[in-house]
Amino acid sequence: MKQYKITGNWSDGRKTVTVNLPVMYFQEGDSHIAYVPVLDLSGYGNNQDEAMQSLNIVLQNYFDYTIKKNTLAEDLKAHGWTVRKKTKPYIAPELTDLINQNEYLHDIVNKKPYIMHRIDVALPEYA
């Protein structure tokens, strides 16, 4: 399986922190889906590579928008993240906790064949 690294264009002079996000790959009908459950975001395509390219665009747009609007920390918290100014400024929720809260994720884990992968994403040191 290919290794993917999501990169953003957030050169505002701030330091960045790299977070490692889980990505689930599965199919719905003829579509291939790349889903990041800790952000509840997904991309799709005709194959896994296209799904990952789509997810890359979705993630870049998400981070670009929330950083420019200064709502990244608020949105991450709404998705169950811990956000703080100390060491490890971003802590994603555990997937095991999300499974019971997110029906879509619960359905994927219990009813669909999927592949789990992880990607690195660079975020501003403090949102």
Side-chain angles (χ1 to χ4, degrees), residues 23-27 99 108-116:
V23 179
M24 301 176 87
Y25 299 100
F26 59 95
Q27 281 188 255
I99 290 170
I108 295 166
V109 170
N110 290 301
K111 297 180 182 174
K112 298 181 186 303
Y114 67 91
I115 297 169
M116 182 71 77

Side-chain angles (χ1 to χ4, degrees), residues 18 25 34 41 50 85 90 92 100 109 114 124 127:
T18 299
Y25 299 100
L41 296 173
E50 286 183 13
K85 291 184 179 183
Y90 302 103
N100 291 326
V109 170
Y114 67 91

Side-chain angles (χ1 to χ4, degrees), residues 32-51:
H32 290 252
I33 311 293
Y35 176 59
V36 179
V38 297
L39 295 172
D40 201 23
L41 296 173
S42 60
Y44 66 93
N46 293 318
N47 56 51
Q48 189 173 330
D49 285 339
E50 286 183 13

Side-chain angles (χ1 to χ4, degrees), residues 44-126:
Y44 66 93
N46 293 318
N47 56 51
Q48 189 173 330
D49 285 339
E50 286 183 13
M52 195 59 211
Q53 290 170 7
S54 174
L55 178 63
N56 189 6
I57 292 166
V58 168
L59 288 171
Q60 286 181 10
N61 288 337
Y62 167 78
F63 288 119
D64 186 50
Y65 180 82
T66 57
I67 289 167
K68 285 180 181 173
K69 293 293 185 182
N70 202 28
T71 59
L72 178 61
E74 179 183 327
D75 194 68
L76 291 175
K77 288 176 187 177
H79 283 95
W81 290 61
T82 300
V83 178
R84 55 188 179 198
K85 291 184 179 183
K86 301 176 186 176
T87 60
K88 288 194 174 182
Y90 302 103
I91 301 173
E94 296 286 329
L95 289 179
T96 52
D97 295 333
L98 291 178
I99 290 170
N100 291 326
Q101 299 169 5
N102 181 326
E103 287 183 43
Y104 186 60
L105 177 59
H106 188 270
D107 184 56
I108 295 166
V109 170
N110 290 301
K111 297 180 182 174
K112 298 181 186 303
Y114 67 91
I115 297 169
M116 182 71 77
H117 182 61
R118 299 193 75 82
I119 58 173
D120 288 331
V121 177
L123 300 178
E125 190 172 88
Y126 183 71

